[in-house]
Amino acid sequence: MKKYLWLILILVIFMTFTACAPESQSSTPQPSEVNKDGQLLPEPGAKLLVWESEGPEGEFIQYAAKKFTEKYGVEVVYEPVTHTDAPGKLATDGPAGIGADVFAAPHDKTGELVASGLIQENDLFADRIRNEFMQGAGDAVSFQGVVYGYPTGIETYALFYNKEYVKEPPKTYQDIVEFAKEFNDLASNRFGFMWDVGNAYYSHSFVAGYGGYVFGKGGTDKDDIGLNSKEAVEGAKFLVSLKEILPLKSDDTNYQVMDGMFKEGKAAMIINGPWAVRGYQEAGVDFGIAPLPLLPNGEHPASFSGVRTMFVSAYTKYPNAAKLFADFITSEEMLLKRYEITKQIPPMKSLMNADIIKSDPYAAPFLEQAQFAVPMPSIPQMGVVWEPYARAFQVMWNDGVDPQKALDEAVQTIKDAIAIQ
């Protein structure tokens, strides 16, 4: 009798552990979720909410949504949320069940999104990302060797110039200095050259052009910060020297001010990105674009590059449909259409040499500058870099703080923040 009781007890324990075992978290489709050709199928009744910035990017999403619905029968609703705001919004809306299924975000948020558990791995289409896209784009949307994102465009910045004042783009920064000395008219608030001085995204190009870097090992080593190295300081010193031709506080050179002055013809040359092209066209500015001019050390400024990326939310109720949509909008056909609408360069190998891009005067200069660009690090620690790094530029520009001192303080602040992350 005792023998049978022991057998019953063992059976009950086994059944209890089996019932309590966690379900597999793998989103690999089961046989019922693929068609006869092995292609992924959306869940029955799936409906997707997609977040992307307003403007050209939003126009593309609406175009792609229509095509996706025609092909898969899945309704896609577009909601305008800027790609920089989406991660923070998802952190609150996702758990509440009202967040996007698919959303756009900068690639440098990848590590932070993974650490926060906000996104799903790109497990079904990772090989396509690795094989069909630029290596830099594939690396940018990965974290610790795992692909998470779906790249839609590569961005960097370059030199915009008003053709009314500048007939040929300058080859060197010395050319810019000489032009500005003749062109500047402080009484009329007119300047030969402007950029968003207090914004580390833009000002990093000077530091990096001299050999400075954020994190070592291609942006993955949080313990190796190169923003206060001898080379970085030399780049910062040259940046500060440009106050001779731009004698304004950094707040008076911010993006909104600079953008408005270029539209009004009060700034002959500025640093900006492809997102600004349409606005200048609509404003009737006769402008050209060129790669950033050479620095005094003979090197190209190393602008930051970013990869516009789509991610699948960890909270989506329809992971198959969401992954299908993210894959769909990063197909060659859709990325070419996206380029036509947004003018952002698609990071797909097959499109890098497309005539429509190489012959486009509003795209080719960014493609050329991208050769010298450095991807923004995508590890979570990048989030604590921006503010102290920007403050370093602001104090050395506005208050005359020695670049070495300003950058030393920035690096120490970054290290302290990383230590308590």
Side-chain angles (χ1 to χ4, degrees):
M1 184 66 180
K2 290 182 179 180
K3 176 180 179 181
Y4 290 114
L5 287 174
W6 275 109
L7 287 173
I8 293 171
L9 179 60
I10 292 170
L11 181 60
V12 169
I13 292 172
F14 174 77
M15 292 177 68
T16 301
F17 275 97
T18 302
C20 294
E23 295 182 12
S24 172
Q25 296 300 308
S26 173
S27 54
T28 303
Q30 301 302 311
S32 60
E33 298 172 325
V34 299
N35 63 18
K36 62 181 180 180
D37 298 319
Q39 295 177 323
L40 183 65
L41 295 175
E43 297 87 349
K47 180 179 178 179
L48 300 177
L49 174 63
V50 179
W51 288 344
E52 173 58 287
S53 303
E54 281 189 286
E57 294 85 1
E59 290 178 28
F60 166 71
I61 290 296
Q62 293 176 79
Y63 170 86
K66 181 180 178 181
K67 295 296 182 181
F68 185 78
T69 301
E70 291 174 358
K71 182 173 182 179
Y72 292 102
V74 174
E75 181 182 356
V76 180
V77 177
Y78 161 67
E79 182 179 335
V81 176
T82 65
H83 72 302
T84 52
D85 290 342
K89 185 174 174 61
L90 186 67
T92 56
D93 289 4
I98 57 174
D101 300 281
V102 181
F103 65 97
H107 86 266
D108 60 303
K109 292 290 184 181
T110 302
E112 187 178 319
L113 289 166
V114 173
S116 302
L118 294 176
I119 56 175
Q120 293 194 23
E121 176 186 343
N122 180 355
D123 51 353
L124 303 181
F125 305 104
D127 287 343
R128 189 175 80 83
I129 301 301
R130 293 190 183 100
N131 297 330
E132 297 181 14
F133 287 76
M134 298 166 53
Q135 181 178 342
D139 291 345
V141 302
S142 301
F143 181 66
Q144 295 182 342
V146 178
V147 178
Y148 287 90
Y150 304 74
T152 57
I154 185 169
E155 297 176 331
T156 191
Y157 40 89
L159 186 75
F160 284 67
Y161 60 97
N162 188 320
K163 292 183 177 180
E164 181 180 348
Y165 309 124
V166 181
K167 304 307 177 185
E168 293 292 332
K171 301 296 183 184
T172 69
Y173 266 102
Q174 186 57 40
D175 293 338
I176 285 183
V177 171
E178 292 173 2
F179 171 84
K181 286 180 178 178
E182 296 292 327
F183 182 85
N184 283 3
D185 184 349
L186 303 188
S188 301
N189 198 33
R190 192 178 78 163
F191 299 93
F193 175 61
M194 293 187 76
W195 85 99
D196 191 352
V197 174
N199 189 330
Y201 174 68
Y202 297 101
S203 288
H204 181 70
S205 64
F206 296 94
V207 170
Y210 273 80
Y213 57 90
V214 183
F215 296 119
K217 296 180 182 177
T220 64
D221 187 354
K222 65 179 177 61
D223 297 318
D224 179 10
I225 302 174
L227 295 179
N228 62 338
S229 65
K230 177 183 177 182
E231 294 80 9
V233 171
E234 286 303 306
K237 286 180 178 178
F238 172 67
L239 177 151
V240 173
S241 75
L242 294 176
K243 192 169 184 179
E244 176 188 10
I245 60 169
L246 188 58
L248 299 172
K249 294 290 187 180
S250 61
D251 284 349
D252 295 325
T253 71
N254 68 31
Y255 187 91
Q256 290 73 24
V257 173
M258 174 199 73
D259 181 63
M261 290 185 68
F262 190 71
K263 289 176 178 175
E264 295 168 10
K266 291 190 174 183
M269 292 178 281
I270 63 170
I271 295 175
N272 214 333
W275 49 85
V277 168
R278 177 178 289 194
Y280 299 148
Q281 289 174 324
E282 293 174 349
V285 181
D286 182 15
F287 68 96
I289 307 171
L292 295 176
L294 294 175
L295 294 162
N297 64 352
E299 298 294 331
H300 292 274
S303 54
F304 265 138
S305 65
V307 177
R308 291 287 291 244
T309 308
M310 301 301 292
F311 293 99
V312 172
S313 167
Y315 299 98
T316 180
K317 297 177 182 177
Y318 308 109
N320 289 354
K323 292 174 183 179
L324 267 178
F325 182 75
D327 181 65
F328 178 79
I329 62 176
T330 52
S331 66
E332 181 175 316
E333 177 186 357
M334 285 293 109
L335 285 181
L336 189 57
K337 185 65 178 180
R338 187 181 187 279
Y339 164 75
E340 293 175 5
I341 296 174
T342 67
K343 295 304 177 184
Q344 292 170 6
I345 300 169
M348 182 175 275
K349 294 176 184 177
S350 62
L351 296 176
M352 295 302 290
N353 293 313
D355 289 338
I356 189 175
I357 297 175
K358 294 186 70 174
S359 62
D360 188 338
Y362 298 128
F366 293 112
L367 187 60
E368 185 175 349
Q369 178 61 37
Q371 299 176 59
F372 313 110
V374 290
M376 291 181 287
S378 60
I379 59 177
Q381 291 77 19
M382 187 63 190
V384 302
V385 170
W386 294 112
E387 185 176 342
Y389 193 23
R391 189 163 58 249
F393 288 117
Q394 293 160 14
V395 298
M396 68 176 78
W397 184 271
N398 295 332
D399 307 323
V401 175
D402 179 72
Q404 182 74 67
K405 182 175 186 293
L407 291 172
D408 283 345
E409 290 179 354
V411 168
Q412 188 58 55
T413 302
I414 293 168
K415 288 180 177 180
D416 291 344
I418 290 175
I420 63 175
Q421 258 188 332

